[in-house]
Amino acid sequence: MSDSSEQCVPAAPAIVRLPFLQLILVGLQHVLLMYGGAIAVPLIIGQAAGLSREEIAFLINADLLVAGIATIVQSMGIGPMGIRMPVMMGASFAAVGSMVAMAGMPGIGMQGIFGATIAAGFFGMLIAPFMSKVVRFFPPLVTGTVITSIGLSLFPVAVNWAGGGSSTAQFGSPIYLTIAALVLGTILLIHRFMRGFWVNISVLIGMGLGYVLCGMIGMVDLSGMAQAPWLQVVTPLHFGMPQFHLAPILSMCLVVVIIFVESTGMFLALGKITGQEVSPRMLRRGLLCDAGASFFAGFLNTFTHSSFAQNIGLVQMTGVRCRSVTMVAGALLIVLSLLPKAAFLVASIPPAVLGGAAIAMFGMVAATGIKILQEADIGDRRNQLLVAVSIGMGLIPVVRPEFFAHLPLWMSPITHSGIAMATLSALLLNLLFNILGGTERAISSAEQAHQH
């Protein structure tokens, strides 16, 4: 770990000054890692709503703008919002199922989706102070289980990328596997043989080599880049005034609750990585930023926003834990939202390049969870059962997304999110085994001690 990153650990959540070039490069790593996820949601919703290519491109730019602003607010802390930790924000996948359904409803359309997003964001700001009080229900046993599940639920994304992308006809082709292996191998070798600055940008170096190789063998597709404008400013209410319909609003309010549950686990994970205890006040600030970003997103032509789990692994792996890096990354997202050609260039990174880096980083998230579980009494059989069942529940939507297909549609934000399933399972089982059963377990422990 470099001198600069070591300075960041005790200083979190302070802003630590890094060399300018290192700040830009490490910030760029965060952007490249989360970019695919950031543009996926507007891409899916735009296609479901039957929008033109130009309108979908506008949706993507709007999403990058809000993600950049929300990242800066979350990292810096402005007014009552922002947890002041290295957090990257982006459009949440928890809402995709509900919004695709809305896009197909007569009389709803994009204006109805944006109206539901605004209302849900406002609802989130109202309940954030109450949700922030749940920190005491997240002991290391629950936190470790949730973070391990986050890492495991991200792995299919990494594997799909490494194989060339889930939609490619030649999935698993040796050329894709070779590129992913090259990127991963480069990252591992840098961590083995180099130190400091080079370790901090190891992911960027690995992806850069992979991108150059892909360009040399004709795997980088830049078609359409010439038609993209140099400059495009996102204008509020581009699709017209938002419309407010009860059913979509209720559905999106449930989504916000699920986002809060997921974000709580992610904030606690970041707290462990940065050596910063997440207090209820900090959690309230973080959740308020999630909700506030969603509220303003509806006016700026985009969707519910939340913190991105992918970037937690990058913070852990590079060792750069100060929030100035994510503030720079947020600024880069804003620049990309204004420069469609630059955004197009970033979007041209082949999935196999991302996959090689993602295998290491998503695995680091799971490893962080395992490390936290060591702080819990994992020798206790009930606690082992809690971890086993919760991780299993979290993997159900990952292994078979259609497993809960016959349940009511309003439940889909929960049943389609492995993170939400694992979190709710761990919370409920901890309540059953350790909180409600606390007295009984204390007596049992005392009896065992007396017998010995």
Side-chain angles (χ1 to χ4, degrees), residues 412-426:
S412 62
I414 304 172
T415 56
H416 283 74
S417 168
I419 300 171
M421 292 285 290
T423 304
L424 293 174
S425 172

Side-chain angles (χ1 to χ4, degrees), residues 69-80:
I69 295 170
T71 296
I72 291 172
V73 173
Q74 193 72 278
S75 303
M76 180 187 289
I78 297 177

Side-chain angles (χ1 to χ4, degrees), residues 35 225 228-230 335-348:
Y35 191 88
M225 185 173 177
W230 281 104
V335 170
L336 287 173
S337 77
L338 299 172
L339 303 174
K341 283 188 186 294
F344 198 103
L345 191 65
V346 175
S348 70

Side-chain angles (χ1 to χ4, degrees), residues 167-191:
S167 59
T168 183
Q170 301 294 320
F171 183 82
S173 167
I175 188 64
Y176 296 140
L177 304 186
T178 302
I179 290 164
L182 171 73
V183 175
L184 178 59
T186 302
I187 293 169
L188 295 174
L189 288 173
I190 290 172
H191 276 260

Side-chain angles (χ1 to χ4, degrees), residues 29 40 101 109 174 182 226 271 293 355 450 452:
Q29 278 185 148
L182 171 73
H450 180 71
H452 291 299

Side-chain angles (χ1 to χ4, degrees), residues 29-390:
Q29 278 185 148
H30 276 286
V31 171
L32 295 180
L33 181 63
M34 60 86 70
Y35 191 88
I39 68 172
V41 174
L43 201 59
I44 294 167
I45 306 306
Q47 289 172 344
L51 300 183
S52 67
R53 186 170 177 174
E54 290 74 22
E55 287 176 322
I56 291 175
F58 186 89
L59 275 186
I60 290 172
N61 286 347
D63 183 64
L64 293 175
L65 176 66
V66 173
I69 295 170
T71 296
I72 291 172
V73 173
Q74 193 72 278
S75 303
M76 180 187 289
I78 297 177
M81 293 185 182
I83 197 166
R84 295 179 177 147
M85 288 203 298
V87 175
M88 292 296 295
M89 299 281 289
S92 172
F93 276 89
V96 167
S98 300
M99 290 190 294
V100 167
M102 290 179 214
M105 291 180 187
I108 303 295
M110 297 304 295
Q111 292 166 301
I113 291 173
F114 294 140
T117 302
I118 292 167
F122 182 73
F123 169 75
M125 287 191 282
L126 292 179
I127 66 168
F130 304 100
M131 289 289 290
S132 65
K133 299 186 189 305
V134 302
V135 174
R136 67 189 185 92
F137 294 107
F138 281 83
L141 177 67
V142 174
T143 306
T145 303
V146 169
I147 296 166
T148 303
S149 296
I150 290 172
L152 294 177
S153 66
L154 288 171
F155 254 108
V157 178
V159 172
N160 279 330
W161 282 345
S166 54
S167 59
T168 183
Q170 301 294 320
F171 183 82
S173 167
I175 188 64
Y176 296 140
L177 304 186
T178 302
I179 290 164
L182 171 73
V183 175
L184 178 59
T186 302
I187 293 169
L188 295 174
L189 288 173
I190 290 172
H191 276 260
R192 170 63 182 85
F193 293 107
M194 305 184 86
R195 298 186 63 200
F197 172 73
W198 299 106
V199 170
N200 293 347
I201 62 165
S202 58
V203 175
L204 188 63
I205 294 171
M207 291 175 64
L209 283 175
Y211 188 83
V212 169
L213 176 62
C214 288
M216 290 169 62
I217 59 178
M219 282 179 57
V220 175
D221 181 14
L222 294 176
S223 59
M225 185 173 177
Q227 289 74 39
W230 281 104
L231 182 69
Q232 185 177 41
V233 178
V234 174
T235 49
L237 305 178
H238 177 79
F239 293 88
M241 289 298 292
Q243 296 178 2
F244 300 92
H245 304 275
L246 183 60
I249 287 173
L250 292 176
S251 174
M252 293 297 277
C253 285
L254 176 61
V255 166
V256 165
V257 174
I258 300 306
I259 287 173
F260 278 4
V261 170
E262 293 179 351
S263 291
T264 298
M266 293 176 204
F267 292 150
L268 291 169
L270 262 179
K272 294 288 185 181
I273 291 170
T274 58
Q276 176 72 29
E277 184 179 347
V278 179
S279 65
R281 180 173 174 273
M282 285 178 67
L283 183 58
R284 183 181 75 243
R285 293 180 62 92
L287 297 180
L288 270 174
C289 186
D290 276 11
S294 300
F295 177 77
F296 289 108
F299 292 103
L300 287 169
N301 320 291
T302 186
F303 315 105
T304 47
H305 273 55
S306 68
S307 51
F308 262 41
Q310 294 97 312
N311 296 81
I312 295 173
L314 184 57
V315 173
Q316 171 75 328
M317 193 167 77
T318 62
V320 180
R321 304 169 183 183
C322 48
R323 56 197 176 109
S324 52
V325 168
T326 47
M327 288 159 61
V328 168
L332 290 173
L333 285 172
I334 294 172
V335 170
L336 287 173
S337 77
L338 299 172
L339 303 174
K341 283 188 186 294
F344 198 103
L345 191 65
V346 175
S348 70
I349 298 174
V353 174
L354 291 169
I359 286 173
M361 278 173 299
F362 298 171
M364 286 296 279
V365 178
T368 300
I370 294 168
K371 180 183 175 185
I372 294 168
L373 280 173
Q374 292 175 343
E375 301 173 25
D377 181 13
I378 203 65
D380 184 287
R381 191 174 299 161
R382 290 186 194 177
N383 288 347
Q384 291 174 6
L385 195 58
L386 180 151
V387 174
V389 171
S390 299

